[in-house]
Amino acid sequence: MAEGMHVTLRMPILRVITLDCSYTIMQNAKIAQLLGEIADMLTLDTQTDRKFEVLAYRKAAQTIGSMQEDIGEVYAKGGLDALMELPGIGKGIAGAIKEYLETGKIPKYEDLKKRYPVDFATLTKIHGMGPKRIFRLYASLKIRSIDDLRKAVEQHKIMGLEGFGKRSEEEIANGIAQFESGQQRMALGRALPEAEAMVRKLGGSGLVGKVVIAGSTRRMRETVGDLDILITSDEPEKVRNFIARMPEVERVLLSGSTKTTVRLAIGLNCDFRVVEEQSFGAALQYFTGNKDHNVKVREIAVAKGYKLNEYGLFDKMDRNVAGAQEDGVYKALGMQVMDPEMREDRGEVELSQRNRIPKVIRLEDMRGDLHMHTVATDGNNTILEMASYAKGLGREYIGISDHSKSEYQAGGLDDKEMLRHLGEIDKANNKTEGIRILKSAEIDILKDGSLDLDSKTMDSMDYTLCSIHTNLTMSRGDMTRRVIKAMESGHMSIWAHPTDRVINQRAPIDIDLDRAFQAAEDNGVILEIDGYPDRMDLNDENILRAKEYKKIRFAIDTDAHRDEHLNLMRYGVSTAKRGWLEPGRVVNALPLDKLLKQLWK
DNA sequence: GCCGTTTTCGGCCCGACTGTTTTCAGTCG
């Protein structure tokens, strides 16, 4: 039966062990690096064409580098067979991994390294440097490391070498500078508004037809490496000039007839691509999916006798079958269209061929927002102002959740102050129509797992949000006990921003999430997806993992500290989409009466 | 080296841009 095919689908993300233990990730990263270097070195073999062997090593490196489960554990549990289950890993590479896990060395790597004693892993990270150029510099100047390279650039030894000119040397100098300034991926919350500002300007220029954001920004990944903006225009030359003069643009890196790449002042590259109307949908599809998603979609096209590229879907006679609309491309391939957030090759390609893409939460589903602050603590607006703004956004209810007393830097409230504040919420409710204001608080889970307010105070709220703000560096065991104790108190409705990570700034707390999720399920604790762009916590991978606990419910909140922050709901919803969360699991997608029944079990 | 709903052999996604070139290699996404 066709149903039996389910089990053959690879959905590695669903059995993910996330960033809990940096040690194991380090080991994966090391193996990925070695396999990548093998690929680099094989590239240099001029005797035989090993193009596809190189490709195989790269794919394997990619698989292991992006795995969240410890590769050593996979091997320990299932041996070579388990390794060969992984995409792109067959007998040969599985053997190499086994060798590394048991001896710390891969013989093939050691052999190649004798011939090419060069730090490919670092040097290939410099923009414009690939294996061939690196090898040439080694062969002629004995450059082995980034330090060697820097010296050679400073002494202008590179220009004049065969295949290198003045421009190449400048490019390398720029590449080194950029590498050393630590080219970190940028938080979505910073990159997306920048992209939207440029889209607005281009849209108002009178030079373009369509202008939209694509790439990882459209997929709403929590961090982005660069921006992609897609444009249709009859006047591509003028568009190029317009882009070069936008104040956001620091300098133009390259500019051709269809593609312009610029460095933005905020420290991010942005690709602008100009395409014809009839190719717009194909280009949007092409520049939105992640690499693996796109490879799979193109393979489906090939299997059906088509060719798919950014210009359209073409049959054997090179006739255009689809391309103007993105949906049209998927439909012509017999695929169900899925939201951009899902295009990460986490099983969506296979499901879409069988019309089985789950219906995930959408912004329109959100009826309320259960986490926000007011002037009573560290917010900027009053209860009434927040309610009025939320009503303008179409929310049916909000929950006011100011801080408890341990958050003294935020002006946290003690029991007496909190009770008075709850009275203020009652008054505000009486003055407001068309939206219900719920009584809550963001209550600290203290070091010992107790909660920061009296039971009596908490009992007079509609629900509680509980979270950790202090003692973030406890051991895994202590942290896990701390959270579980709070969950078992009977006074914890929602676990707010569970892992406490701040994107690009603070690592998540060390906690056994599986035990915590189990306790949440047992005690009816709702998990928050905090949509504040610095947090986005739970993140996509942890949502995928938590939703496997079938009774766990979620809340998607903004953690707003001023009224405009209530618009940040889209970050939370997109994160939930990336976690394949269905609306039935989200409590604040429920109407008020149903929500109230859910909040205290 | 990997992989299989046209294949266990013979394929492997596809195109843009640049610099240093006299027709293309290297790199990137």
Side-chain angles (χ1 to χ4, degrees), chain A residues 333-471:
Chain A
L333 293 173
M335 296 176 70
Q336 188 184 1
V337 185
M338 72 296 290
D339 286 314
E341 287 92 336
M342 299 179 78
R343 301 183 198 169
E344 296 277 354
D345 188 30
R346 290 168 167 171
E348 77 284 357
V349 173
E350 292 81 356
L351 289 176
S352 83
Q353 289 180 281
R354 295 166 32 233
N355 224 29
R356 291 281 176 83
I357 294 287
K359 183 181 179 303
V360 294
I361 187 91
R362 290 168 183 273
L363 195 54
E364 309 87 83
D365 294 327
M366 301 310 299
R367 292 168 181 260
D369 188 341
L370 298 174
H371 186 167
M372 66 193 66
H373 301 268
T374 71
V375 289
T377 59
D378 58 351
N380 286 270
N381 293 93
T382 63
I383 300 167
L384 281 171
E385 285 165 352
M386 295 301 278
S388 159
Y389 197 95
K391 190 175 149 187
L393 295 177
R395 306 271 180 267
E396 295 167 24
Y397 51 86
I398 56 171
I400 301 292
S401 54
D402 276 301
H403 288 289
S404 61
K405 61 180 183 291
S406 291
E407 286 298 287
Y408 44 86
Q409 82 290 347
L413 308 177
D414 64 21
D415 286 280
K416 197 174 152 199
E417 291 162 333
M418 184 61 77
L419 287 168
R420 192 177 333 133
H421 177 57
L422 296 177
E424 294 297 321
I425 298 176
D426 280 334
K427 283 188 211 162
N429 239 327
N430 291 333
K431 288 189 214 163
T432 312
E433 279 189 1
I435 186 165
R436 168 76 181 271
I437 311 171
L438 299 171
K439 289 183 285 186
S440 182
E442 181 173 12
I443 300 161
D444 265 47
I445 300 172
L446 302 175
K447 192 176 179 183
D448 66 355
S450 61
L451 298 177
D452 194 27
L453 291 173
D454 288 345
S455 305
K456 222 180 80 196
T457 311
M458 294 189 281
D459 283 338
S460 48
M461 299 175 184
D462 292 304
Y463 66 96
T464 64
L465 281 160
C466 301
S467 58
I468 289 174
H469 291 102
T470 53
N471 298 103

Side-chain angles (χ1 to χ4, degrees), chain A residues 15 54 67 80 93 109 116 326 394 428 431 435 451 531 595:
Chain A
R15 27 181 190 85
V54 169
M67 252 172 79
L80 274 179
I93 294 179
Y109 174 87
Y116 309 111
E326 186 181 51
K431 288 189 214 163
I435 186 165
L451 298 177
L595 168 81

Side-chain angles (χ1 to χ4, degrees), chain A residues 8 40 73 96 154 182 253 265 286 324-325 328 339 365 382 384 429 440 469 476 478 508 518 535 569 575:
Chain A
T8 64
D40 291 333
E73 226 165 84
E154 281 164 6
L253 299 178
Y286 186 93
Q325 308 289 337
D339 286 314
D365 294 327
T382 63
L384 281 171
N429 239 327
S440 182
H469 291 102
R476 187 184 181 88
D478 287 345
Q518 187 61 60
R535 290 195 181 268
M569 185 62 86
T575 302

